[in-house]
């Protein structure tokens, strides 16, 4: 495909500027929380994939949202909506490990969002959630500083 040089430069500018203009403080280098799913959606009972156009960076992590309204809700009260353990599998943290999560495997316990590796792991977690939360909370500060 032969495009005039001017068109190629203009197209490149759109790709370079788009994400940086779209999200508040969005950075491609920071980890994306919850696999890019909108954390507000979990609290609304409708987990859905967020977009780079509605992103925010907080604490060195990138959060993606399905709408600017959800992004703004998050920015107004991030401590209320951010998932426990920076979105790592809650049961994995309880076991001293960091694992990615399945967006469909989650629980909200006393207003906190917990994500899980998969539905099976979520099922094991549910057998003793209070104990698992206590152990994971105790481990997280040390585990947080580690790799991944």
């Amino acid at each position: 495909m032969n495009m005039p040089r001017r068109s190629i430069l203009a197209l490149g500018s759109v790709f370079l500027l788009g994400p940086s203009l779209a999200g508040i403080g969005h950075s491609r280098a920071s980890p994306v929380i919850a696999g890019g799913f909108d954390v507000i959606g979990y609290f609304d009972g409708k987990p859905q994939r967020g977009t780079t156009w509605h992103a925010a960076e907080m604490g060195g992590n990138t959060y993606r949202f399905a709408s600017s309204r959800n992004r703004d809700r998050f920015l107004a009260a991030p401590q209320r909506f951010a998932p426990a353990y920076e979105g790592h599998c809650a049961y994995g943290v309880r076991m001293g490990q960091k694992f990615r999560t399945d967006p469909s495997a989650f629980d909200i316990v006393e207003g906190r969002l917990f994500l899980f590796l998969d539905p099976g792991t979520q099922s094991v977690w549910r057998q003793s959630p209070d104990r698992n939360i206590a152990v994971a909370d105790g481990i997280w500060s040390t585990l947080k500083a580690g790799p991944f």
Side-chain angles (χ1 to χ4, degrees):
M1 174 169 97
N2 283 332
M3 289 181 87
R5 181 173 168 75
R6 194 173 30 229
S7 296
I8 293 171
L9 290 174
L11 187 59
S13 296
V14 169
F15 287 118
L16 290 174
L17 295 176
S20 65
L21 294 175
I24 298 173
H26 177 71
S27 168
R28 290 178 188 250
S30 59
V32 177
I33 297 298
F37 270 65
D38 182 337
V39 295
I40 299 293
Y42 288 103
F43 289 91
D44 292 343
K46 298 177 270 181
Q48 58 187 320
R49 188 166 297 283
T51 72
T52 58
W53 298 110
H54 303 295
E57 187 172 304
M58 179 143 313
N61 296 307
T62 298
Y63 293 82
R64 293 182 181 165
F65 303 93
S67 68
S68 59
R69 179 180 181 274
N70 282 3
R71 181 192 61 215
D72 294 346
R73 284 177 64 194
F74 175 80
L75 290 172
Q79 68 285 354
R80 177 177 172 211
F81 296 109
Y85 322 121
E86 294 184 354
H88 294 286
C89 173
Y91 193 72
V93 170
R94 188 249 190 267
M95 300 304 290
Q97 301 284 327
K98 291 183 187 177
F99 297 115
R100 288 187 172 82
T101 57
D102 174 344
S104 69
F106 72 96
D107 281 334
I108 297 176
V109 178
E110 296 183 16
R112 289 177 72 191
L113 172 60
F114 296 92
L115 302 172
F116 302 96
L117 177 68
D118 55 35
T121 306
Q122 177 184 21
S123 179
V124 172
W125 171 272
R126 286 178 172 171
Q127 292 174 14
S128 185
D130 292 338
R131 174 74 178 136
N132 291 329
I133 290 169
V135 172
D137 284 353
I139 292 171
W140 179 242
S141 62
T142 303
L143 191 60
K144 179 180 179 178
F148 180 101

PDB file of all heavy atoms in Angstrom, residues 24 38-46 48 56 58 65 67-82:
ATOM      1  N   ILE A  24      -6.281   9.754  32.123  1.00  0.00           N
ATOM      2  CA  ILE A  24      -5.672  10.669  33.063  1.00  0.00           C
ATOM      3  C   ILE A  24      -4.406  10.020  33.589  1.00  0.00           C
ATOM      4  O   ILE A  24      -4.465   9.009  34.279  1.00  0.00           O
ATOM      5  CB  ILE A  24      -6.636  11.002  34.203  1.00  0.00           C
ATOM      6  CG1 ILE A  24      -7.874  11.693  33.632  1.00  0.00           C
ATOM      7  CG2 ILE A  24      -5.968  11.838  35.261  1.00  0.00           C
ATOM      8  CD1 ILE A  24      -8.960  11.915  34.621  1.00  0.00           C
ATOM      9  N   ASP A  38     -13.016  -3.065  34.092  1.00  0.00           N
ATOM     10  CA  ASP A  38     -13.463  -1.883  34.822  1.00  0.00           C
ATOM     11  C   ASP A  38     -13.826  -2.294  36.251  1.00  0.00           C
ATOM     12  O   ASP A  38     -14.791  -3.028  36.460  1.00  0.00           O
ATOM     13  CB  ASP A  38     -14.677  -1.308  34.094  1.00  0.00           C
ATOM     14  CG  ASP A  38     -15.230  -0.043  34.702  1.00  0.00           C
ATOM     15  OD1 ASP A  38     -15.006   0.216  35.901  1.00  0.00           O
ATOM     16  OD2 ASP A  38     -15.910   0.695  33.971  1.00  0.00           O
ATOM     17  N   VAL A  39     -13.044  -1.850  37.248  1.00  0.00           N
ATOM     18  CA  VAL A  39     -13.296  -2.256  38.635  1.00  0.00           C
ATOM     19  C   VAL A  39     -14.629  -1.725  39.157  1.00  0.00           C
ATOM     20  O   VAL A  39     -15.239  -2.340  40.033  1.00  0.00           O
ATOM     21  CB  VAL A  39     -12.134  -1.871  39.583  1.00  0.00           C
ATOM     22  CG1 VAL A  39     -10.874  -2.646  39.220  1.00  0.00           C
ATOM     23  CG2 VAL A  39     -11.881  -0.385  39.605  1.00  0.00           C
ATOM     24  N   ILE A  40     -15.119  -0.621  38.630  1.00  0.00           N
ATOM     25  CA  ILE A  40     -16.425  -0.096  39.039  1.00  0.00           C
ATOM     26  C   ILE A  40     -17.517  -1.081  38.632  1.00  0.00           C
ATOM     27  O   ILE A  40     -18.480  -1.295  39.362  1.00  0.00           O
ATOM     28  CB  ILE A  40     -16.691   1.287  38.413  1.00  0.00           C
ATOM     29  CG1 ILE A  40     -15.644   2.311  38.842  1.00  0.00           C
ATOM     30  CG2 ILE A  40     -18.110   1.771  38.732  1.00  0.00           C
ATOM     31  CD1 ILE A  40     -15.662   2.682  40.290  1.00  0.00           C
ATOM     32  N   GLY A  41     -17.357  -1.703  37.488  1.00  0.00           N
ATOM     33  CA  GLY A  41     -18.344  -2.659  36.998  1.00  0.00           C
ATOM     34  C   GLY A  41     -18.599  -3.805  37.966  1.00  0.00           C
ATOM     35  O   GLY A  41     -19.723  -4.298  38.074  1.00  0.00           O
ATOM     36  N   TYR A  42     -17.577  -4.235  38.677  1.00  0.00           N
ATOM     37  CA  TYR A  42     -17.765  -5.304  39.659  1.00  0.00           C
ATOM     38  C   TYR A  42     -18.747  -4.869  40.743  1.00  0.00           C
ATOM     39  O   TYR A  42     -19.599  -5.640  41.167  1.00  0.00           O
ATOM     40  CB  TYR A  42     -16.435  -5.694  40.306  1.00  0.00           C
ATOM     41  CG  TYR A  42     -15.520  -6.458  39.381  1.00  0.00           C
ATOM     42  CD1 TYR A  42     -14.434  -5.830  38.773  1.00  0.00           C
ATOM     43  CD2 TYR A  42     -15.731  -7.803  39.113  1.00  0.00           C
ATOM     44  CE1 TYR A  42     -13.584  -6.526  37.927  1.00  0.00           C
ATOM     45  CE2 TYR A  42     -14.894  -8.516  38.272  1.00  0.00           C
ATOM     46  CZ  TYR A  42     -13.820  -7.867  37.681  1.00  0.00           C
ATOM     47  OH  TYR A  42     -12.997  -8.562  36.842  1.00  0.00           O
ATOM     48  N   PHE A  43     -18.637  -3.643  41.190  1.00  0.00           N
ATOM     49  CA  PHE A  43     -19.511  -3.134  42.246  1.00  0.00           C
ATOM     50  C   PHE A  43     -20.926  -2.885  41.732  1.00  0.00           C
ATOM     51  O   PHE A  43     -21.881  -2.899  42.501  1.00  0.00           O
ATOM     52  CB  PHE A  43     -18.923  -1.862  42.865  1.00  0.00           C
ATOM     53  CG  PHE A  43     -17.707  -2.137  43.694  1.00  0.00           C
ATOM     54  CD1 PHE A  43     -16.441  -2.104  43.121  1.00  0.00           C
ATOM     55  CD2 PHE A  43     -17.812  -2.450  45.041  1.00  0.00           C
ATOM     56  CE1 PHE A  43     -15.306  -2.379  43.875  1.00  0.00           C
ATOM     57  CE2 PHE A  43     -16.685  -2.726  45.801  1.00  0.00           C
ATOM     58  CZ  PHE A  43     -15.430  -2.692  45.216  1.00  0.00           C
ATOM     59  N   ASP A  44     -21.046  -2.660  40.434  1.00  0.00           N
ATOM     60  CA  ASP A  44     -22.363  -2.477  39.815  1.00  0.00           C
ATOM     61  C   ASP A  44     -22.976  -3.801  39.377  1.00  0.00           C
ATOM     62  O   ASP A  44     -24.066  -3.824  38.814  1.00  0.00           O
ATOM     63  CB  ASP A  44     -22.250  -1.548  38.600  1.00  0.00           C
ATOM     64  CG  ASP A  44     -21.915  -0.109  38.992  1.00  0.00           C
ATOM     65  OD1 ASP A  44     -22.088   0.245  40.174  1.00  0.00           O
ATOM     66  OD2 ASP A  44     -21.481   0.653  38.108  1.00  0.00           O
ATOM     67  N   GLY A  45     -22.247  -4.909  39.606  1.00  0.00           N
ATOM     68  CA  GLY A  45     -22.746  -6.221  39.222  1.00  0.00           C
ATOM     69  C   GLY A  45     -22.607  -6.525  37.743  1.00  0.00           C
ATOM     70  O   GLY A  45     -23.204  -7.474  37.243  1.00  0.00           O
ATOM     71  N   LYS A  46     -21.801  -5.719  37.028  1.00  0.00           N
ATOM     72  CA  LYS A  46     -21.636  -5.908  35.587  1.00  0.00           C
ATOM     73  C   LYS A  46     -20.166  -5.778  35.198  1.00  0.00           C
ATOM     74  O   LYS A  46     -19.764  -4.781  34.599  1.00  0.00           O
ATOM     75  CB  LYS A  46     -22.451  -4.865  34.818  1.00  0.00           C
ATOM     76  CG  LYS A  46     -23.944  -4.925  35.044  1.00  0.00           C
ATOM     77  CD  LYS A  46     -24.643  -3.819  34.297  1.00  0.00           C
ATOM     78  CE  LYS A  46     -24.702  -2.622  35.230  1.00  0.00           C
ATOM     79  NZ  LYS A  46     -25.356  -1.458  34.710  1.00  0.00           N
ATOM     80  N   GLN A  48     -17.076  -5.594  33.145  1.00  0.00           N
ATOM     81  CA  GLN A  48     -16.888  -5.394  31.710  1.00  0.00           C
ATOM     82  C   GLN A  48     -15.496  -4.857  31.445  1.00  0.00           C
ATOM     83  O   GLN A  48     -14.889  -4.246  32.314  1.00  0.00           O
ATOM     84  CB  GLN A  48     -17.956  -4.469  31.153  1.00  0.00           C
ATOM     85  CG  GLN A  48     -18.003  -3.099  31.820  1.00  0.00           C
ATOM     86  CD  GLN A  48     -19.180  -2.278  31.368  1.00  0.00           C
ATOM     87  OE1 GLN A  48     -19.526  -2.281  30.195  1.00  0.00           O
ATOM     88  NE2 GLN A  48     -19.806  -1.553  32.283  1.00  0.00           N
ATOM     89  N   ALA A  56      -6.911   5.534  33.986  1.00  0.00           N
ATOM     90  CA  ALA A  56      -6.307   6.384  35.019  1.00  0.00           C
ATOM     91  C   ALA A  56      -5.148   5.624  35.637  1.00  0.00           C
ATOM     92  O   ALA A  56      -5.182   4.405  35.733  1.00  0.00           O
ATOM     93  CB  ALA A  56      -7.332   6.744  36.085  1.00  0.00           C
ATOM     94  N   MET A  58      -2.837   5.179  39.039  1.00  0.00           N
ATOM     95  CA  MET A  58      -2.817   5.464  40.465  1.00  0.00           C
ATOM     96  C   MET A  58      -1.853   4.484  41.129  1.00  0.00           C
ATOM     97  O   MET A  58      -1.925   3.283  40.884  1.00  0.00           O
ATOM     98  CB  MET A  58      -4.218   5.313  41.057  1.00  0.00           C
ATOM     99  CG  MET A  58      -4.255   5.580  42.532  1.00  0.00           C
ATOM    100  SD  MET A  58      -5.732   6.432  43.085  1.00  0.00           S
ATOM    101  CE  MET A  58      -5.943   7.769  41.952  1.00  0.00           C
ATOM    102  N   PHE A  65     -11.407   1.747  32.373  1.00  0.00           N
ATOM    103  CA  PHE A  65     -12.828   1.856  32.663  1.00  0.00           C
ATOM    104  C   PHE A  65     -13.635   1.816  31.377  1.00  0.00           C
ATOM    105  O   PHE A  65     -13.144   2.177  30.317  1.00  0.00           O
ATOM    106  CB  PHE A  65     -13.101   3.151  33.443  1.00  0.00           C
ATOM    107  CG  PHE A  65     -12.295   3.224  34.704  1.00  0.00           C
ATOM    108  CD1 PHE A  65     -11.067   3.853  34.726  1.00  0.00           C
ATOM    109  CD2 PHE A  65     -12.735   2.580  35.852  1.00  0.00           C
ATOM    110  CE1 PHE A  65     -10.285   3.873  35.873  1.00  0.00           C
ATOM    111  CE2 PHE A  65     -11.966   2.597  37.009  1.00  0.00           C
ATOM    112  CZ  PHE A  65     -10.740   3.236  37.017  1.00  0.00           C
ATOM    113  N   SER A  67     -16.233   3.654  30.853  1.00  0.00           N
ATOM    114  CA  SER A  67     -16.753   4.995  30.560  1.00  0.00           C
ATOM    115  C   SER A  67     -15.984   6.039  31.368  1.00  0.00           C
ATOM    116  O   SER A  67     -15.353   5.713  32.378  1.00  0.00           O
ATOM    117  CB  SER A  67     -18.242   5.082  30.920  1.00  0.00           C
ATOM    118  OG  SER A  67     -18.407   4.992  32.327  1.00  0.00           O
ATOM    119  N   SER A  68     -16.087   7.267  30.935  1.00  0.00           N
ATOM    120  CA  SER A  68     -15.448   8.348  31.691  1.00  0.00           C
ATOM    121  C   SER A  68     -16.155   8.531  33.035  1.00  0.00           C
ATOM    122  O   SER A  68     -15.529   8.898  34.026  1.00  0.00           O
ATOM    123  CB  SER A  68     -15.438   9.650  30.890  1.00  0.00           C
ATOM    124  OG  SER A  68     -16.752  10.035  30.556  1.00  0.00           O
ATOM    125  N   ARG A  69     -17.451   8.235  33.088  1.00  0.00           N
ATOM    126  CA  ARG A  69     -18.187   8.332  34.351  1.00  0.00           C
ATOM    127  C   ARG A  69     -17.605   7.363  35.385  1.00  0.00           C
ATOM    128  O   ARG A  69     -17.402   7.729  36.544  1.00  0.00           O
ATOM    129  CB  ARG A  69     -19.670   8.027  34.120  1.00  0.00           C
ATOM    130  CG  ARG A  69     -20.504   8.081  35.391  1.00  0.00           C
ATOM    131  CD  ARG A  69     -21.987   7.770  35.091  1.00  0.00           C
ATOM    132  NE  ARG A  69     -22.777   7.851  36.296  1.00  0.00           N
ATOM    133  CZ  ARG A  69     -22.947   6.836  37.163  1.00  0.00           C
ATOM    134  NH1 ARG A  69     -22.376   5.677  36.937  1.00  0.00           N
ATOM    135  NH2 ARG A  69     -23.684   6.997  38.237  1.00  0.00           N
ATOM    136  N   ASN A  70     -17.328   6.118  34.969  1.00  0.00           N
ATOM    137  CA  ASN A  70     -16.742   5.149  35.897  1.00  0.00           C
ATOM    138  C   ASN A  70     -15.340   5.567  36.313  1.00  0.00           C
ATOM    139  O   ASN A  70     -14.964   5.428  37.477  1.00  0.00           O
ATOM    140  CB  ASN A  70     -16.723   3.752  35.281  1.00  0.00           C
ATOM    141  CG  ASN A  70     -18.075   3.083  35.336  1.00  0.00           C
ATOM    142  OD1 ASN A  70     -19.056   3.658  35.777  1.00  0.00           O
ATOM    143  ND2 ASN A  70     -18.133   1.863  34.858  1.00  0.00           N
ATOM    144  N   ARG A  71     -14.562   6.092  35.379  1.00  0.00           N
ATOM    145  CA  ARG A  71     -13.222   6.576  35.718  1.00  0.00           C
ATOM    146  C   ARG A  71     -13.319   7.676  36.772  1.00  0.00           C
ATOM    147  O   ARG A  71     -12.590   7.672  37.765  1.00  0.00           O
ATOM    148  CB  ARG A  71     -12.498   7.100  34.476  1.00  0.00           C
ATOM    149  CG  ARG A  71     -11.084   7.595  34.794  1.00  0.00           C
ATOM    150  CD  ARG A  71     -10.477   8.365  33.641  1.00  0.00           C
ATOM    151  NE  ARG A  71     -11.287   9.532  33.362  1.00  0.00           N
ATOM    152  CZ  ARG A  71     -11.481  10.029  32.146  1.00  0.00           C
ATOM    153  NH1 ARG A  71     -10.925   9.484  31.089  1.00  0.00           N
ATOM    154  NH2 ARG A  71     -12.223  11.097  31.974  1.00  0.00           N
ATOM    155  N   ASP A  72     -14.234   8.594  36.585  1.00  0.00           N
ATOM    156  CA  ASP A  72     -14.394   9.698  37.532  1.00  0.00           C
ATOM    157  C   ASP A  72     -14.862   9.206  38.904  1.00  0.00           C
ATOM    158  O   ASP A  72     -14.415   9.717  39.933  1.00  0.00           O
ATOM    159  CB  ASP A  72     -15.357  10.746  36.973  1.00  0.00           C
ATOM    160  CG  ASP A  72     -14.806  11.439  35.730  1.00  0.00           C
ATOM    161  OD1 ASP A  72     -13.587  11.307  35.442  1.00  0.00           O
ATOM    162  OD2 ASP A  72     -15.601  12.091  35.023  1.00  0.00           O
ATOM    163  N   ARG A  73     -15.732   8.205  38.931  1.00  0.00           N
ATOM    164  CA  ARG A  73     -16.161   7.623  40.207  1.00  0.00           C
ATOM    165  C   ARG A  73     -14.967   7.016  40.938  1.00  0.00           C
ATOM    166  O   ARG A  73     -14.823   7.166  42.153  1.00  0.00           O
ATOM    167  CB  ARG A  73     -17.224   6.541  39.980  1.00  0.00           C
ATOM    168  CG  ARG A  73     -18.595   7.081  39.664  1.00  0.00           C
ATOM    169  CD  ARG A  73     -19.593   5.968  39.377  1.00  0.00           C
ATOM    170  NE  ARG A  73     -19.832   5.100  40.525  1.00  0.00           N
ATOM    171  CZ  ARG A  73     -20.435   3.922  40.438  1.00  0.00           C
ATOM    172  NH1 ARG A  73     -20.852   3.456  39.269  1.00  0.00           N
ATOM    173  NH2 ARG A  73     -20.622   3.187  41.521  1.00  0.00           N
ATOM    174  N   PHE A  74     -14.130   6.314  40.195  1.00  0.00           N
ATOM    175  CA  PHE A  74     -12.941   5.704  40.788  1.00  0.00           C
ATOM    176  C   PHE A  74     -12.004   6.776  41.340  1.00  0.00           C
ATOM    177  O   PHE A  74     -11.532   6.675  42.468  1.00  0.00           O
ATOM    178  CB  PHE A  74     -12.208   4.847  39.746  1.00  0.00           C
ATOM    179  CG  PHE A  74     -10.911   4.285  40.262  1.00  0.00           C
ATOM    180  CD1 PHE A  74     -10.911   3.153  41.068  1.00  0.00           C
ATOM    181  CD2 PHE A  74      -9.697   4.887  39.968  1.00  0.00           C
ATOM    182  CE1 PHE A  74      -9.721   2.630  41.557  1.00  0.00           C
ATOM    183  CE2 PHE A  74      -8.505   4.376  40.454  1.00  0.00           C
ATOM    184  CZ  PHE A  74      -8.516   3.244  41.253  1.00  0.00           C
ATOM    185  N   LEU A  75     -11.738   7.794  40.556  1.00  0.00           N
ATOM    186  CA  LEU A  75     -10.804   8.842  40.985  1.00  0.00           C
ATOM    187  C   LEU A  75     -11.311   9.604  42.209  1.00  0.00           C
ATOM    188  O   LEU A  75     -10.521  10.093  43.003  1.00  0.00           O
ATOM    189  CB  LEU A  75     -10.512   9.806  39.835  1.00  0.00           C
ATOM    190  CG  LEU A  75      -9.680   9.199  38.699  1.00  0.00           C
ATOM    191  CD1 LEU A  75      -9.604  10.162  37.515  1.00  0.00           C
ATOM    192  CD2 LEU A  75      -8.291   8.822  39.187  1.00  0.00           C
ATOM    193  N   ALA A  76     -12.619   9.653  42.377  1.00  0.00           N
ATOM    194  CA  ALA A  76     -13.198  10.331  43.549  1.00  0.00           C
ATOM    195  C   ALA A  76     -13.031   9.505  44.830  1.00  0.00           C
ATOM    196  O   ALA A  76     -13.005  10.068  45.924  1.00  0.00           O
ATOM    197  CB  ALA A  76     -14.673  10.628  43.305  1.00  0.00           C
ATOM    198  N   ALA A  77     -12.900   8.175  44.698  1.00  0.00           N
ATOM    199  CA  ALA A  77     -12.783   7.314  45.876  1.00  0.00           C
ATOM    200  C   ALA A  77     -12.025   6.024  45.534  1.00  0.00           C
ATOM    201  O   ALA A  77     -12.582   4.925  45.625  1.00  0.00           O
ATOM    202  CB  ALA A  77     -14.176   6.981  46.418  1.00  0.00           C
ATOM    203  N   PRO A  78     -10.762   6.131  45.141  1.00  0.00           N
ATOM    204  CA  PRO A  78     -10.019   4.929  44.720  1.00  0.00           C
ATOM    205  C   PRO A  78      -9.913   3.864  45.807  1.00  0.00           C
ATOM    206  O   PRO A  78      -9.963   2.667  45.508  1.00  0.00           O
ATOM    207  CB  PRO A  78      -8.648   5.464  44.325  1.00  0.00           C
ATOM    208  CG  PRO A  78      -8.532   6.799  44.965  1.00  0.00           C
ATOM    209  CD  PRO A  78      -9.933   7.325  45.098  1.00  0.00           C
ATOM    210  N   GLN A  79      -9.812   4.259  47.057  1.00  0.00           N
ATOM    211  CA  GLN A  79      -9.703   3.286  48.141  1.00  0.00           C
ATOM    212  C   GLN A  79     -10.963   2.441  48.253  1.00  0.00           C
ATOM    213  O   GLN A  79     -10.916   1.311  48.731  1.00  0.00           O
ATOM    214  CB  GLN A  79      -9.375   3.974  49.471  1.00  0.00           C
ATOM    215  CG  GLN A  79     -10.476   4.848  50.027  1.00  0.00           C
ATOM    216  CD  GLN A  79     -10.673   6.200  49.330  1.00  0.00           C
ATOM    217  OE1 GLN A  79      -9.914   6.598  48.458  1.00  0.00           O
ATOM    218  NE2 GLN A  79     -11.724   6.908  49.720  1.00  0.00           N
ATOM    219  N   ARG A  80     -12.074   2.944  47.794  1.00  0.00           N
ATOM    220  CA  ARG A  80     -13.337   2.206  47.841  1.00  0.00           C
ATOM    221  C   ARG A  80     -13.423   1.154  46.732  1.00  0.00           C
ATOM    222  O   ARG A  80     -14.010   0.092  46.926  1.00  0.00           O
ATOM    223  CB  ARG A  80     -14.507   3.183  47.712  1.00  0.00           C
ATOM    224  CG  ARG A  80     -15.839   2.497  47.688  1.00  0.00           C
ATOM    225  CD  ARG A  80     -16.993   3.472  47.640  1.00  0.00           C
ATOM    226  NE  ARG A  80     -18.220   2.733  47.421  1.00  0.00           N
ATOM    227  CZ  ARG A  80     -19.258   3.197  46.767  1.00  0.00           C
ATOM    228  NH1 ARG A  80     -19.243   4.415  46.289  1.00  0.00           N
ATOM    229  NH2 ARG A  80     -20.318   2.462  46.595  1.00  0.00           N
ATOM    230  N   PHE A  81     -12.851   1.443  45.567  1.00  0.00           N
ATOM    231  CA  PHE A  81     -13.044   0.594  44.402  1.00  0.00           C
ATOM    232  C   PHE A  81     -11.834  -0.261  44.002  1.00  0.00           C
ATOM    233  O   PHE A  81     -11.996  -1.246  43.295  1.00  0.00           O
ATOM    234  CB  PHE A  81     -13.463   1.441  43.203  1.00  0.00           C
ATOM    235  CG  PHE A  81     -14.792   2.130  43.389  1.00  0.00           C
ATOM    236  CD1 PHE A  81     -14.859   3.497  43.562  1.00  0.00           C
ATOM    237  CD2 PHE A  81     -15.970   1.400  43.403  1.00  0.00           C
ATOM    238  CE1 PHE A  81     -16.076   4.144  43.725  1.00  0.00           C
ATOM    239  CE2 PHE A  81     -17.189   2.026  43.572  1.00  0.00           C
ATOM    240  CZ  PHE A  81     -17.247   3.404  43.735  1.00  0.00           C
ATOM    241  N   ALA A  82     -10.649   0.120  44.410  1.00  0.00           N
ATOM    242  CA  ALA A  82      -9.452  -0.629  43.993  1.00  0.00           C
ATOM    243  C   ALA A  82      -9.520  -2.050  44.541  1.00  0.00           C
ATOM    244  O   ALA A  82      -9.877  -2.269  45.702  1.00  0.00           O
ATOM    245  CB  ALA A  82      -8.195   0.065  44.486  1.00  0.00           C
TER     246      ALA A  82
END
